[in-house]
PDB file of all heavy atoms in Angstrom:
ATOM      1  N   ASP A   1      -8.220 -10.030  22.480  1.00  0.00           N
ATOM      2  CA  ASP A   1      -8.701  -9.480  23.797  1.00  0.00           C
ATOM      3  C   ASP A   1      -8.432  -7.908  23.869  1.00  0.00           C
ATOM      4  O   ASP A   1      -8.671  -7.318  24.879  1.00  0.00           O
ATOM      5  CB  ASP A   1      -7.880 -10.165  25.015  1.00  0.00           C
ATOM      6  CG  ASP A   1      -6.454 -10.053  24.866  1.00  0.00           C
ATOM      7  OD1 ASP A   1      -5.906  -9.859  23.769  1.00  0.00           O
ATOM      8  OD2 ASP A   1      -5.792 -10.075  25.903  1.00  0.00           O
ATOM      9  N   MET A   2      -8.013  -7.416  22.764  1.00  0.00           N
ATOM     10  CA  MET A   2      -7.742  -5.978  22.768  1.00  0.00           C
ATOM     11  C   MET A   2      -8.889  -5.231  21.957  1.00  0.00           C
ATOM     12  O   MET A   2      -9.646  -5.823  21.235  1.00  0.00           O
ATOM     13  CB  MET A   2      -6.452  -5.647  22.022  1.00  0.00           C
ATOM     14  CG  MET A   2      -5.208  -6.488  22.617  1.00  0.00           C
ATOM     15  SD  MET A   2      -4.951  -6.040  24.377  1.00  0.00           S
ATOM     16  CE  MET A   2      -3.989  -4.611  24.100  1.00  0.00           C
ATOM     17  N   GLU A   3      -9.033  -3.871  22.179  1.00  0.00           N
ATOM     18  CA  GLU A   3      -9.846  -3.041  21.457  1.00  0.00           C
ATOM     19  C   GLU A   3      -9.150  -2.541  20.139  1.00  0.00           C
ATOM     20  O   GLU A   3      -8.267  -1.731  20.221  1.00  0.00           O
ATOM     21  CB  GLU A   3     -10.274  -1.798  22.307  1.00  0.00           C
ATOM     22  CG  GLU A   3     -11.050  -2.247  23.590  1.00  0.00           C
ATOM     23  CD  GLU A   3     -11.372  -1.118  24.387  1.00  0.00           C
ATOM     24  OE1 GLU A   3     -10.549  -0.227  24.505  1.00  0.00           O
ATOM     25  OE2 GLU A   3     -12.452  -1.175  25.038  1.00  0.00           O
ATOM     26  N   ILE A   4      -9.657  -3.120  19.087  1.00  0.00           N
ATOM     27  CA  ILE A   4      -8.903  -2.939  17.800  1.00  0.00           C
ATOM     28  C   ILE A   4      -9.548  -2.019  16.783  1.00  0.00           C
ATOM     29  O   ILE A   4     -10.747  -2.026  16.654  1.00  0.00           O
ATOM     30  CB  ILE A   4      -8.687  -4.299  17.156  1.00  0.00           C
ATOM     31  CG1 ILE A   4      -7.805  -5.201  17.953  1.00  0.00           C
ATOM     32  CG2 ILE A   4      -7.891  -4.216  15.693  1.00  0.00           C
ATOM     33  CD1 ILE A   4      -7.675  -6.661  17.621  1.00  0.00           C
ATOM     34  N   VAL A   5      -8.763  -1.211  16.005  1.00  0.00           N
ATOM     35  CA  VAL A   5      -9.336  -0.445  14.977  1.00  0.00           C
ATOM     36  C   VAL A   5      -8.292  -0.546  13.852  1.00  0.00           C
ATOM     37  O   VAL A   5      -7.073  -0.371  13.863  1.00  0.00           O
ATOM     38  CB  VAL A   5      -9.333   1.058  15.358  1.00  0.00           C
ATOM     39  CG1 VAL A   5      -9.779   1.867  14.180  1.00  0.00           C
ATOM     40  CG2 VAL A   5     -10.175   1.281  16.500  1.00  0.00           C
ATOM     41  N   TYR A   6      -8.923  -1.038  12.607  1.00  0.00           N
ATOM     42  CA  TYR A   6      -8.124  -1.101  11.484  1.00  0.00           C
ATOM     43  C   TYR A   6      -7.988   0.013  10.525  1.00  0.00           C
ATOM     44  O   TYR A   6      -8.633   1.007  10.903  1.00  0.00           O
ATOM     45  CB  TYR A   6      -8.678  -2.335  10.610  1.00  0.00           C
ATOM     46  CG  TYR A   6      -8.649  -3.681  11.453  1.00  0.00           C
ATOM     47  CD1 TYR A   6      -9.721  -4.323  11.755  1.00  0.00           C
ATOM     48  CD2 TYR A   6      -7.460  -4.179  12.000  1.00  0.00           C
ATOM     49  CE1 TYR A   6      -9.872  -5.438  12.389  1.00  0.00           C
ATOM     50  CE2 TYR A   6      -7.472  -5.260  12.716  1.00  0.00           C
ATOM     51  CZ  TYR A   6      -8.626  -6.036  12.980  1.00  0.00           C
ATOM     52  OH  TYR A   6      -8.655  -7.204  13.680  1.00  0.00           O
ATOM     53  N   GLY A   7      -7.270  -0.061   9.513  1.00  0.00           N
ATOM     54  CA  GLY A   7      -7.100   1.054   8.637  1.00  0.00           C
ATOM     55  C   GLY A   7      -8.364   1.320   7.830  1.00  0.00           C
ATOM     56  O   GLY A   7      -9.280   0.497   7.730  1.00  0.00           O
ATOM     57  N   ASP A   8      -8.509   2.521   7.116  1.00  0.00           N
ATOM     58  CA  ASP A   8      -9.666   2.996   6.513  1.00  0.00           C
ATOM     59  C   ASP A   8      -9.356   3.914   5.371  1.00  0.00           C
ATOM     60  O   ASP A   8      -8.394   4.683   5.452  1.00  0.00           O
ATOM     61  CB  ASP A   8     -10.520   3.700   7.517  1.00  0.00           C
ATOM     62  CG  ASP A   8     -11.843   4.282   6.961  1.00  0.00           C
ATOM     63  OD1 ASP A   8     -12.697   3.456   6.414  1.00  0.00           O
ATOM     64  OD2 ASP A   8     -11.883   5.464   6.950  1.00  0.00           O
ATOM     65  N   GLY A   9     -10.045   3.795   4.317  1.00  0.00           N
ATOM     66  CA  GLY A   9      -9.759   4.695   3.181  1.00  0.00           C
ATOM     67  C   GLY A   9      -9.588   4.039   1.853  1.00  0.00           C
ATOM     68  O   GLY A   9     -10.080   2.763   1.651  1.00  0.00           O
ATOM     69  N   ASN A  10      -8.978   4.712   0.835  1.00  0.00           N
ATOM     70  CA  ASN A  10      -8.794   4.200  -0.440  1.00  0.00           C
ATOM     71  C   ASN A  10      -7.419   3.575  -0.465  1.00  0.00           C
ATOM     72  O   ASN A  10      -6.331   4.223  -0.441  1.00  0.00           O
ATOM     73  CB  ASN A  10      -8.921   5.364  -1.388  1.00  0.00           C
ATOM     74  CG  ASN A  10      -8.600   4.933  -2.909  1.00  0.00           C
ATOM     75  OD1 ASN A  10      -8.402   3.794  -3.136  1.00  0.00           O
ATOM     76  ND2 ASN A  10      -8.577   5.889  -3.808  1.00  0.00           N
ATOM     77  N   PRO A  11      -7.254   2.215  -0.623  1.00  0.00           N
ATOM     78  CA  PRO A  11      -5.955   1.575  -0.702  1.00  0.00           C
ATOM     79  C   PRO A  11      -5.182   2.014  -1.889  1.00  0.00           C
ATOM     80  O   PRO A  11      -4.034   1.561  -2.016  1.00  0.00           O
ATOM     81  CB  PRO A  11      -6.358   0.098  -0.693  1.00  0.00           C
ATOM     82  CG  PRO A  11      -7.712  -0.007  -1.105  1.00  0.00           C
ATOM     83  CD  PRO A  11      -8.389   1.354  -0.685  1.00  0.00           C
ATOM     84  N   ASP A  12      -5.816   2.531  -2.934  1.00  0.00           N
ATOM     85  CA  ASP A  12      -5.024   2.822  -4.245  1.00  0.00           C
ATOM     86  C   ASP A  12      -4.696   4.331  -4.268  1.00  0.00           C
ATOM     87  O   ASP A  12      -4.246   4.901  -5.358  1.00  0.00           O
ATOM     88  CB  ASP A  12      -5.929   2.510  -5.461  1.00  0.00           C
ATOM     89  CG  ASP A  12      -5.903   1.027  -5.808  1.00  0.00           C
ATOM     90  OD1 ASP A  12      -4.868   0.476  -5.494  1.00  0.00           O
ATOM     91  OD2 ASP A  12      -6.869   0.569  -6.256  1.00  0.00           O
ATOM     92  N   SER A  13      -4.858   5.138  -3.193  1.00  0.00           N
ATOM     93  CA  SER A  13      -4.708   6.484  -3.240  1.00  0.00           C
ATOM     94  C   SER A  13      -3.234   6.990  -3.519  1.00  0.00           C
ATOM     95  O   SER A  13      -2.968   8.017  -4.025  1.00  0.00           O
ATOM     96  CB  SER A  13      -5.224   7.129  -1.933  1.00  0.00           C
ATOM     97  OG  SER A  13      -4.246   6.858  -0.857  1.00  0.00           O
ATOM     98  N   GLY A  14      -2.219   6.070  -2.976  1.00  0.00           N
ATOM     99  CA  GLY A  14      -0.802   6.496  -3.161  1.00  0.00           C
ATOM    100  C   GLY A  14      -0.414   7.328  -1.914  1.00  0.00           C
ATOM    101  O   GLY A  14       0.862   7.710  -1.715  1.00  0.00           O
ATOM    102  N   ILE A  15      -1.270   7.688  -0.981  1.00  0.00           N
ATOM    103  CA  ILE A  15      -0.975   8.373   0.211  1.00  0.00           C
ATOM    104  C   ILE A  15      -1.368   7.652   1.501  1.00  0.00           C
ATOM    105  O   ILE A  15      -2.539   7.330   1.593  1.00  0.00           O
ATOM    106  CB  ILE A  15      -1.499   9.725   0.294  1.00  0.00           C
ATOM    107  CG1 ILE A  15      -1.213  10.552  -1.100  1.00  0.00           C
ATOM    108  CG2 ILE A  15      -1.091  10.604   1.413  1.00  0.00           C
ATOM    109  CD1 ILE A  15      -1.995  11.718  -1.388  1.00  0.00           C
ATOM    110  N   VAL A  16      -0.413   7.404   2.370  1.00  0.00           N
ATOM    111  CA  VAL A  16      -0.818   6.725   3.531  1.00  0.00           C
ATOM    112  C   VAL A  16      -0.565   7.543   4.772  1.00  0.00           C
ATOM    113  O   VAL A  16       0.739   7.960   4.947  1.00  0.00           O
ATOM    114  CB  VAL A  16      -0.303   5.266   3.769  1.00  0.00           C
ATOM    115  CG1 VAL A  16      -0.496   4.657   5.109  1.00  0.00           C
ATOM    116  CG2 VAL A  16      -0.764   4.298   2.639  1.00  0.00           C
ATOM    117  N   PHE A  17      -1.409   7.890   5.605  1.00  0.00           N
ATOM    118  CA  PHE A  17      -1.136   8.459   6.943  1.00  0.00           C
ATOM    119  C   PHE A  17      -1.150   7.320   8.016  1.00  0.00           C
ATOM    120  O   PHE A  17      -2.097   6.564   8.109  1.00  0.00           O
ATOM    121  CB  PHE A  17      -2.139   9.543   7.257  1.00  0.00           C
ATOM    122  CG  PHE A  17      -2.080  10.802   6.490  1.00  0.00           C
ATOM    123  CD1 PHE A  17      -2.655  10.809   5.251  1.00  0.00           C
ATOM    124  CD2 PHE A  17      -1.513  11.916   7.084  1.00  0.00           C
ATOM    125  CE1 PHE A  17      -2.658  11.993   4.413  1.00  0.00           C
ATOM    126  CE2 PHE A  17      -1.434  13.112   6.231  1.00  0.00           C
ATOM    127  CZ  PHE A  17      -1.908  13.067   4.949  1.00  0.00           C
ATOM    128  N   ILE A  18      -0.066   7.455   8.879  1.00  0.00           N
ATOM    129  CA  ILE A  18       0.042   6.405   9.946  1.00  0.00           C
ATOM    130  C   ILE A  18      -0.045   7.143  11.308  1.00  0.00           C
ATOM    131  O   ILE A  18       0.918   7.843  11.604  1.00  0.00           O
ATOM    132  CB  ILE A  18       1.359   5.494   9.815  1.00  0.00           C
ATOM    133  CG1 ILE A  18       1.404   5.041   8.453  1.00  0.00           C
ATOM    134  CG2 ILE A  18       1.359   4.475  10.885  1.00  0.00           C
ATOM    135  CD1 ILE A  18       2.909   4.252   8.141  1.00  0.00           C
ATOM    136  N   GLY A  19      -0.985   6.843  12.033  1.00  0.00           N
ATOM    137  CA  GLY A  19      -1.021   7.416  13.430  1.00  0.00           C
ATOM    138  C   GLY A  19      -0.373   6.484  14.543  1.00  0.00           C
ATOM    139  O   GLY A  19       0.273   5.511  14.023  1.00  0.00           O
ATOM    140  N   GLU A  20      -0.634   6.838  15.681  1.00  0.00           N
ATOM    141  CA  GLU A  20      -0.017   6.140  16.753  1.00  0.00           C
ATOM    142  C   GLU A  20      -0.730   4.829  17.167  1.00  0.00           C
ATOM    143  O   GLU A  20      -0.325   3.677  16.916  1.00  0.00           O
ATOM    144  CB  GLU A  20       0.250   7.038  17.992  1.00  0.00           C
ATOM    145  CG  GLU A  20       1.239   8.105  17.586  1.00  0.00           C
ATOM    146  CD  GLU A  20       1.694   9.005  18.719  1.00  0.00           C
ATOM    147  OE1 GLU A  20       1.152   8.982  19.800  1.00  0.00           O
ATOM    148  OE2 GLU A  20       2.678   9.722  18.725  1.00  0.00           O
ATOM    149  N   ALA A  21      -1.952   5.166  17.714  1.00  0.00           N
ATOM    150  CA  ALA A  21      -2.902   4.051  18.166  1.00  0.00           C
ATOM    151  C   ALA A  21      -4.243   4.691  18.453  1.00  0.00           C
ATOM    152  O   ALA A  21      -4.323   5.783  18.703  1.00  0.00           O
ATOM    153  CB  ALA A  21      -2.345   3.491  19.461  1.00  0.00           C
ATOM    154  N   PRO A  22      -5.291   3.842  18.353  1.00  0.00           N
ATOM    155  CA  PRO A  22      -6.670   4.322  18.489  1.00  0.00           C
ATOM    156  C   PRO A  22      -6.887   4.679  20.034  1.00  0.00           C
ATOM    157  O   PRO A  22      -6.300   4.074  20.889  1.00  0.00           O
ATOM    158  CB  PRO A  22      -7.463   3.051  18.073  1.00  0.00           C
ATOM    159  CG  PRO A  22      -6.643   1.847  18.263  1.00  0.00           C
ATOM    160  CD  PRO A  22      -5.319   2.392  17.999  1.00  0.00           C
ATOM    161  N   GLY A  23      -7.782   5.633  20.123  1.00  0.00           N
ATOM    162  CA  GLY A  23      -8.113   6.059  21.392  1.00  0.00           C
ATOM    163  C   GLY A  23      -9.703   5.666  21.672  1.00  0.00           C
ATOM    164  O   GLY A  23     -10.215   4.833  20.855  1.00  0.00           O
ATOM    165  N   LYS A  24     -10.300   6.239  22.685  1.00  0.00           N
ATOM    166  CA  LYS A  24     -11.603   5.780  23.050  1.00  0.00           C
ATOM    167  C   LYS A  24     -12.623   6.191  21.919  1.00  0.00           C
ATOM    168  O   LYS A  24     -13.477   5.374  21.582  1.00  0.00           O
ATOM    169  CB  LYS A  24     -12.063   6.613  24.254  1.00  0.00           C
ATOM    170  CG  LYS A  24     -13.566   6.306  24.765  1.00  0.00           C
ATOM    171  CD  LYS A  24     -13.769   7.161  26.065  1.00  0.00           C
ATOM    172  CE  LYS A  24     -13.805   8.676  25.652  1.00  0.00           C
ATOM    173  NZ  LYS A  24     -14.265   9.463  26.954  1.00  0.00           N
ATOM    174  N   ASP A  25     -12.462   7.333  21.199  1.00  0.00           N
ATOM    175  CA  ASP A  25     -13.409   7.639  20.161  1.00  0.00           C
ATOM    176  C   ASP A  25     -13.131   6.779  18.954  1.00  0.00           C
ATOM    177  O   ASP A  25     -14.179   6.421  18.348  1.00  0.00           O
ATOM    178  CB  ASP A  25     -13.228   9.107  19.731  1.00  0.00           C
ATOM    179  CG  ASP A  25     -13.525  10.002  20.810  1.00  0.00           C
ATOM    180  OD1 ASP A  25     -14.386   9.809  21.755  1.00  0.00           O
ATOM    181  OD2 ASP A  25     -12.947  11.291  20.873  1.00  0.00           O
ATOM    182  N   GLU A  26     -11.968   6.454  18.672  1.00  0.00           N
ATOM    183  CA  GLU A  26     -11.736   5.682  17.481  1.00  0.00           C
ATOM    184  C   GLU A  26     -12.274   4.256  17.765  1.00  0.00           C
ATOM    185  O   GLU A  26     -12.963   3.674  16.780  1.00  0.00           O
ATOM    186  CB  GLU A  26     -10.195   5.476  17.284  1.00  0.00           C
ATOM    187  CG  GLU A  26      -9.618   6.739  16.656  1.00  0.00           C
ATOM    188  CD  GLU A  26      -9.334   7.975  17.536  1.00  0.00           C
ATOM    189  OE1 GLU A  26      -9.430   7.665  18.769  1.00  0.00           O
ATOM    190  OE2 GLU A  26      -9.177   8.988  17.126  1.00  0.00           O
ATOM    191  N   VAL A  27     -12.146   3.703  18.906  1.00  0.00           N
ATOM    192  CA  VAL A  27     -12.732   2.316  19.250  1.00  0.00           C
ATOM    193  C   VAL A  27     -14.191   2.297  19.082  1.00  0.00           C
ATOM    194  O   VAL A  27     -14.732   1.498  18.550  1.00  0.00           O
ATOM    195  CB  VAL A  27     -12.367   1.966  20.631  1.00  0.00           C
ATOM    196  CG1 VAL A  27     -13.034   0.692  21.039  1.00  0.00           C
ATOM    197  CG2 VAL A  27     -10.773   1.625  20.647  1.00  0.00           C
ATOM    198  N   LYS A  28     -14.824   3.492  19.534  1.00  0.00           N
ATOM    199  CA  LYS A  28     -16.326   3.574  19.574  1.00  0.00           C
ATOM    200  C   LYS A  28     -16.731   3.610  18.124  1.00  0.00           C
ATOM    201  O   LYS A  28     -17.883   2.839  17.831  1.00  0.00           O
ATOM    202  CB  LYS A  28     -16.686   4.954  20.181  1.00  0.00           C
ATOM    203  CG  LYS A  28     -18.232   5.075  20.276  1.00  0.00           C
ATOM    204  CD  LYS A  28     -18.514   6.240  21.124  1.00  0.00           C
ATOM    205  CE  LYS A  28     -20.045   6.542  21.103  1.00  0.00           C
ATOM    206  NZ  LYS A  28     -20.496   7.729  21.893  1.00  0.00           N
ATOM    207  N   LEU A  29     -16.073   4.320  17.247  1.00  0.00           N
ATOM    208  CA  LEU A  29     -16.478   4.507  15.764  1.00  0.00           C
ATOM    209  C   LEU A  29     -15.877   3.509  14.816  1.00  0.00           C
ATOM    210  O   LEU A  29     -16.329   3.496  13.666  1.00  0.00           O
ATOM    211  CB  LEU A  29     -16.296   5.829  15.388  1.00  0.00           C
ATOM    212  CG  LEU A  29     -17.094   7.001  16.124  1.00  0.00           C
ATOM    213  CD1 LEU A  29     -16.740   8.418  15.598  1.00  0.00           C
ATOM    214  CD2 LEU A  29     -18.555   6.723  15.964  1.00  0.00           C
ATOM    215  N   LYS A  30     -14.848   2.774  15.395  1.00  0.00           N
ATOM    216  CA  LYS A  30     -14.214   1.784  14.571  1.00  0.00           C
ATOM    217  C   LYS A  30     -13.471   2.376  13.339  1.00  0.00           C
ATOM    218  O   LYS A  30     -13.441   1.724  12.239  1.00  0.00           O
ATOM    219  CB  LYS A  30     -15.193   0.705  13.972  1.00  0.00           C
ATOM    220  CG  LYS A  30     -15.617  -0.187  15.195  1.00  0.00           C
ATOM    221  CD  LYS A  30     -14.475  -1.072  15.854  1.00  0.00           C
ATOM    222  CE  LYS A  30     -15.056  -1.856  17.011  1.00  0.00           C
ATOM    223  NZ  LYS A  30     -13.825  -2.594  17.728  1.00  0.00           N
ATOM    224  N   LYS A  31     -13.046   3.612  13.650  1.00  0.00           N
ATOM    225  CA  LYS A  31     -12.199   4.365  12.522  1.00  0.00           C
ATOM    226  C   LYS A  31     -11.012   5.090  13.078  1.00  0.00           C
ATOM    227  O   LYS A  31     -11.228   5.624  14.213  1.00  0.00           O
ATOM    228  CB  LYS A  31     -13.146   5.350  11.759  1.00  0.00           C
ATOM    229  CG  LYS A  31     -14.018   4.789  10.711  1.00  0.00           C
ATOM    230  CD  LYS A  31     -14.754   5.963   9.924  1.00  0.00           C
ATOM    231  CE  LYS A  31     -15.490   5.346   8.772  1.00  0.00           C
ATOM    232  NZ  LYS A  31     -16.049   6.429   7.938  1.00  0.00           N
ATOM    233  N   PRO A  32      -9.959   5.066  12.364  1.00  0.00           N
ATOM    234  CA  PRO A  32      -8.741   5.903  12.993  1.00  0.00           C
ATOM    235  C   PRO A  32      -8.934   7.278  12.673  1.00  0.00           C
ATOM    236  O   PRO A  32      -9.616   7.715  11.804  1.00  0.00           O
ATOM    237  CB  PRO A  32      -7.684   5.236  12.080  1.00  0.00           C
ATOM    238  CG  PRO A  32      -8.294   4.810  10.820  1.00  0.00           C
ATOM    239  CD  PRO A  32      -9.560   4.373  11.210  1.00  0.00           C
ATOM    240  N   PHE A  33      -8.430   8.128  13.590  1.00  0.00           N
ATOM    241  CA  PHE A  33      -8.445   9.558  13.498  1.00  0.00           C
ATOM    242  C   PHE A  33      -9.706  10.145  13.378  1.00  0.00           C
ATOM    243  O   PHE A  33     -10.245  10.799  12.468  1.00  0.00           O
ATOM    244  CB  PHE A  33      -7.589  10.039  12.333  1.00  0.00           C
ATOM    245  CG  PHE A  33      -6.032  10.188  12.715  1.00  0.00           C
ATOM    246  CD1 PHE A  33      -5.257   9.086  12.777  1.00  0.00           C
ATOM    247  CD2 PHE A  33      -5.629  11.397  13.340  1.00  0.00           C
ATOM    248  CE1 PHE A  33      -3.928   9.326  13.168  1.00  0.00           C
ATOM    249  CE2 PHE A  33      -4.242  11.509  13.822  1.00  0.00           C
ATOM    250  CZ  PHE A  33      -3.471  10.384  13.635  1.00  0.00           C
ATOM    251  N   VAL A  34     -10.476  10.143  14.538  1.00  0.00           N
ATOM    252  CA  VAL A  34     -11.745  10.748  14.671  1.00  0.00           C
ATOM    253  C   VAL A  34     -11.600  11.708  15.873  1.00  0.00           C
ATOM    254  O   VAL A  34     -10.503  11.658  16.578  1.00  0.00           O
ATOM    255  CB  VAL A  34     -12.984   9.925  14.762  1.00  0.00           C
ATOM    256  CG1 VAL A  34     -13.208   9.159  13.560  1.00  0.00           C
ATOM    257  CG2 VAL A  34     -12.850   8.984  15.998  1.00  0.00           C
ATOM    258  N   GLY A  35     -12.488  12.609  16.185  1.00  0.00           N
ATOM    259  CA  GLY A  35     -12.325  13.470  17.289  1.00  0.00           C
ATOM    260  C   GLY A  35     -11.517  14.703  17.078  1.00  0.00           C
ATOM    261  O   GLY A  35     -11.354  15.002  15.823  1.00  0.00           O
ATOM    262  N   SER A  36     -10.943  15.363  17.926  1.00  0.00           N
ATOM    263  CA  SER A  36     -10.259  16.590  17.892  1.00  0.00           C
ATOM    264  C   SER A  36      -9.097  16.496  16.904  1.00  0.00           C
ATOM    265  O   SER A  36      -8.682  17.293  15.989  1.00  0.00           O
ATOM    266  CB  SER A  36      -9.884  17.241  19.115  1.00  0.00           C
ATOM    267  OG  SER A  36      -9.207  16.273  19.814  1.00  0.00           O
ATOM    268  N   ALA A  37      -8.246  15.407  17.102  1.00  0.00           N
ATOM    269  CA  ALA A  37      -7.058  15.223  16.264  1.00  0.00           C
ATOM    270  C   ALA A  37      -7.437  14.888  14.838  1.00  0.00           C
ATOM    271  O   ALA A  37      -6.835  15.434  13.853  1.00  0.00           O
ATOM    272  CB  ALA A  37      -6.196  14.056  16.860  1.00  0.00           C
ATOM    273  N   GLY A  38      -8.514  14.202  14.685  1.00  0.00           N
ATOM    274  CA  GLY A  38      -9.056  13.915  13.308  1.00  0.00           C
ATOM    275  C   GLY A  38      -9.444  15.175  12.645  1.00  0.00           C
ATOM    276  O   GLY A  38      -9.410  15.266  11.416  1.00  0.00           O
ATOM    277  N   LYS A  39     -10.135  16.196  13.380  1.00  0.00           N
ATOM    278  CA  LYS A  39     -10.509  17.386  12.750  1.00  0.00           C
ATOM    279  C   LYS A  39      -9.371  18.098  12.120  1.00  0.00           C
ATOM    280  O   LYS A  39      -9.491  18.699  11.033  1.00  0.00           O
ATOM    281  CB  LYS A  39     -11.289  18.227  13.719  1.00  0.00           C
ATOM    282  CG  LYS A  39     -11.940  19.477  13.095  1.00  0.00           C
ATOM    283  CD  LYS A  39     -12.608  20.242  14.261  1.00  0.00           C
ATOM    284  CE  LYS A  39     -13.319  21.449  13.490  1.00  0.00           C
ATOM    285  NZ  LYS A  39     -12.316  22.378  12.794  1.00  0.00           N
ATOM    286  N   ILE A  40      -8.235  18.123  12.871  1.00  0.00           N
ATOM    287  CA  ILE A  40      -7.060  18.872  12.398  1.00  0.00           C
ATOM    288  C   ILE A  40      -6.591  18.219  11.039  1.00  0.00           C
ATOM    289  O   ILE A  40      -6.303  18.942  10.113  1.00  0.00           O
ATOM    290  CB  ILE A  40      -5.899  18.825  13.378  1.00  0.00           C
ATOM    291  CG1 ILE A  40      -6.343  19.695  14.578  1.00  0.00           C
ATOM    292  CG2 ILE A  40      -4.695  19.323  12.815  1.00  0.00           C
ATOM    293  CD1 ILE A  40      -5.476  19.611  15.767  1.00  0.00           C
ATOM    294  N   LEU A  41      -6.585  16.883  11.028  1.00  0.00           N
ATOM    295  CA  LEU A  41      -6.111  16.256   9.776  1.00  0.00           C
ATOM    296  C   LEU A  41      -7.174  16.391   8.616  1.00  0.00           C
ATOM    297  O   LEU A  41      -6.811  16.698   7.554  1.00  0.00           O
ATOM    298  CB  LEU A  41      -6.025  14.709  10.162  1.00  0.00           C
ATOM    299  CG  LEU A  41      -5.576  13.744   8.961  1.00  0.00           C
ATOM    300  CD1 LEU A  41      -4.296  14.308   8.479  1.00  0.00           C
ATOM    301  CD2 LEU A  41      -5.612  12.355   9.359  1.00  0.00           C
ATOM    302  N   ARG A  42      -8.387  16.404   9.010  1.00  0.00           N
ATOM    303  CA  ARG A  42      -9.484  16.663   7.985  1.00  0.00           C
ATOM    304  C   ARG A  42      -9.345  18.026   7.384  1.00  0.00           C
ATOM    305  O   ARG A  42      -9.458  18.223   6.190  1.00  0.00           O
ATOM    306  CB  ARG A  42     -10.866  16.352   8.660  1.00  0.00           C
ATOM    307  CG  ARG A  42     -11.971  16.393   7.633  1.00  0.00           C
ATOM    308  CD  ARG A  42     -13.276  15.968   8.185  1.00  0.00           C
ATOM    309  NE  ARG A  42     -13.663  16.911   9.279  1.00  0.00           N
ATOM    310  CZ  ARG A  42     -13.779  16.679  10.579  1.00  0.00           C
ATOM    311  NH1 ARG A  42     -13.379  15.511  10.968  1.00  0.00           N
ATOM    312  NH2 ARG A  42     -14.227  17.555  11.380  1.00  0.00           N
ATOM    313  N   ASP A  43      -9.059  19.010   8.170  1.00  0.00           N
ATOM    314  CA  ASP A  43      -8.948  20.346   7.702  1.00  0.00           C
ATOM    315  C   ASP A  43      -7.835  20.486   6.669  1.00  0.00           C
ATOM    316  O   ASP A  43      -7.995  21.061   5.654  1.00  0.00           O
ATOM    317  CB  ASP A  43      -8.778  21.337   8.855  1.00  0.00           C
ATOM    318  CG  ASP A  43      -9.928  21.470   9.645  1.00  0.00           C
ATOM    319  OD1 ASP A  43     -11.205  21.143   9.214  1.00  0.00           O
ATOM    320  OD2 ASP A  43      -9.887  22.008  10.821  1.00  0.00           O
ATOM    321  N   PHE A  44      -6.802  19.828   7.026  1.00  0.00           N
ATOM    322  CA  PHE A  44      -5.603  19.809   6.126  1.00  0.00           C
ATOM    323  C   PHE A  44      -5.922  19.111   4.846  1.00  0.00           C
ATOM    324  O   PHE A  44      -5.608  19.586   3.703  1.00  0.00           O
ATOM    325  CB  PHE A  44      -4.365  19.130   6.771  1.00  0.00           C
ATOM    326  CG  PHE A  44      -3.315  18.646   5.704  1.00  0.00           C
ATOM    327  CD1 PHE A  44      -2.571  19.676   5.076  1.00  0.00           C
ATOM    328  CD2 PHE A  44      -3.128  17.458   5.362  1.00  0.00           C
ATOM    329  CE1 PHE A  44      -1.631  19.226   4.091  1.00  0.00           C
ATOM    330  CE2 PHE A  44      -2.193  16.994   4.476  1.00  0.00           C
ATOM    331  CZ  PHE A  44      -1.372  17.982   3.813  1.00  0.00           C
TER     332      PHE A  44
END
């Protein structure tokens, strides 16, 4: 009954980033870390 977003990316990369919880944008796109916070992470 919840709005769920699962992990995304390469499971063999050796690097995992763990965020807090999905927001409205993440639920809409079904991906973690999109929107303004995702841009900061993407730039890094």
